[in-house]
Amino acid sequence: MIRVVVKRLLIGVLVMWGAASLIFLIVRVAPGDPVSILLGPDATQDQIKELSASLGLERPLAVQYVDYLAHVVRLDFGDSYRLGHPAMTEVLDRLSVTAELMLASTLIAVVLGLLLGLLAGGRPGSVVDRVVSAAAIALQSFPTFWIGIMLILVFALALRLLPSAGSGTPQHLILPTITMALPFTAIVARLTRTSVVETLREPYIQTAKSKGLTDRQVLLGHALRNSLLPVVTIVGLHMGGLMGGAVIVENVFAWPGLGSLVVDSVTNRDYEVVQAATFVIAGVVMLFNLAADLVYSQLDPRIRLEGS
């Protein structure tokens, strides 16, 4: 187990180095100049040169990259010229707000998706199975921003039950959480349904039924454990997708999280914040994938034997 963890961590370090290097190049070759944004169109050449020198943008790109990596090792991404605070501090503050949204939507998606998948897979071909499958396909087909807009139109504008934007109360969390949870619920439900159908065909399931166990006992006591394996995998892999989806959802609902911070920073060419956010996002995705691997190894005894 320790060897597996160390191996995953080493791979994660390489992934984070690659992500940090890639975003360093992207923000510098992209069109636009943060100096011009800061000083405005009326700035003189002397002012532009002075600010470029203070930001270190006049140095060769290779020199900037080496200096950048030296600071990354210390988790020092410099100060945001737009916000006036350390970039990593701003990112971590916003990450806690985004984490609240991600964890709530993931919990809803996993619980609801497992329930619907078990109901559909336990009776393949039934009315419940067809309804769940059709609803899952429909939810996966709708863009996330469209789901958010429809929820705002219905629950915020038409029924006036929930706020349409902002944060600060549990009510503000409901609509963005549901928006992020619905497409993921569809994925979990379809995956669980397929896994349950395949598991129920296994010989040991027939043996359990021959012992007099009810369908419910077989489903929950025997089929559920093996059906969780692909779900655990997809949860770990989908965390990156949730981070990307948070960018859209947070802008639709004016949620003050990491996604909205990244959009504002990209628009204003705030290099430090963009680089710090990319590094943190890569680290979060790596940790979730590691956690998924560990949970998977505990659910599947074959992996524990291979790792021992």
Side-chain angles (χ1 to χ4, degrees):
M1 177 65 69
I2 296 178
R3 184 171 55 194
V4 173
V5 172
V6 172
K7 181 180 178 181
R8 293 291 191 277
L9 287 176
L10 291 176
I11 295 175
V13 170
L14 292 176
V15 170
M16 294 179 68
W17 168 77
S21 300
L22 184 61
I23 196 63
F24 172 85
L25 294 174
I26 290 176
V27 297
R28 281 161 175 77
V29 301
D33 182 10
V35 175
S36 300
I37 295 175
L38 276 175
L39 297 178
D42 299 328
T44 64
Q45 288 298 320
D46 291 338
Q47 290 175 322
I48 293 175
K49 290 181 180 179
E50 182 180 354
L51 184 57
S52 297
S54 65
L55 295 176
L57 300 177
E58 85 292 349
R59 296 176 299 170
L61 190 62
V63 176
Q64 294 185 47
Y65 178 66
V66 173
D67 183 61
Y68 164 72
L69 289 182
H71 284 81
V72 167
V73 173
R74 302 194 301 268
L75 298 181
D76 178 15
F77 289 84
D79 294 340
S80 167
Y81 69 79
R82 183 173 58 92
L83 302 173
H85 299 98
M88 182 57 75
T89 301
E90 293 290 337
V91 168
L92 293 180
D93 288 343
R94 295 294 191 96
L95 178 63
S96 62
V97 182
T98 297
E100 181 182 3
L101 184 61
M102 289 180 57
L103 293 177
S105 61
T106 301
L107 179 62
I108 292 174
V110 171
V111 173
L112 186 58
L114 282 174
L115 177 61
L116 293 176
L118 287 172
L119 290 175
R123 296 183 177 181
S126 64
V127 174
V128 174
D129 181 25
R130 291 196 292 269
V131 171
V132 170
S133 298
I137 294 174
L139 286 176
Q140 285 186 264
S141 303
F142 296 143
T144 305
F145 72 88
W146 185 87
I147 296 176
I149 292 173
M150 291 299 105
L151 290 177
I152 290 174
L153 290 175
V154 175
F155 293 99
L157 299 181
L159 301 178
R160 299 185 181 277
L161 296 176
L162 297 168
S164 61
S167 62
T169 67
Q171 289 76 17
H172 286 93
L173 183 63
I174 295 176
L175 289 184
T177 297
I178 294 176
T179 301
M180 288 187 64
L182 285 179
F184 194 21
T185 300
I187 295 174
V188 174
R190 293 186 66 187
L191 195 61
T192 303
R193 185 262 177 198
T194 302
S195 181
V196 168
V197 171
E198 294 177 353
T199 302
L200 291 178
R201 296 171 181 168
E202 296 292 330
Y204 75 90
I205 296 295
Q206 304 304 321
T207 302
K209 289 182 178 180
S210 66
K211 293 180 179 180
L213 298 179
T214 64
D215 291 342
R216 182 178 180 180
Q217 290 174 323
V218 170
L219 188 63
L220 298 180
H222 295 273
L224 178 59
R225 183 183 180 91
N226 284 344
S227 300
L228 285 175
L229 296 177
V231 175
V232 170
T233 302
I234 198 64
V235 168
L237 295 175
H238 199 66
M239 295 312 297
L242 284 179
M243 293 293 289
V247 175
I248 300 174
V249 172
E250 289 179 4
N251 278 274
V252 171
F253 292 96
W255 185 261
L258 185 57
S260 58
L261 176 65
V262 170
V263 171
D264 292 340
S265 299
V266 170
T267 302
N268 293 282
R269 305 286 290 173
D270 197 341
Y271 290 157
E272 287 74 14
V273 173
V274 175
Q275 291 167 167
T278 302
F279 188 82
V280 169
I281 291 172
V284 169
V285 174
M286 180 200 71
L287 290 177
F288 271 109
N289 286 333
L290 175 61
D293 287 340
L294 295 179
V295 173
Y296 196 101
S297 66
Q298 294 302 311
L299 291 174
D300 193 340
R302 295 170 297 181
I303 296 180
R304 292 205 298 269
L305 290 175
E306 292 174 1
S308 61

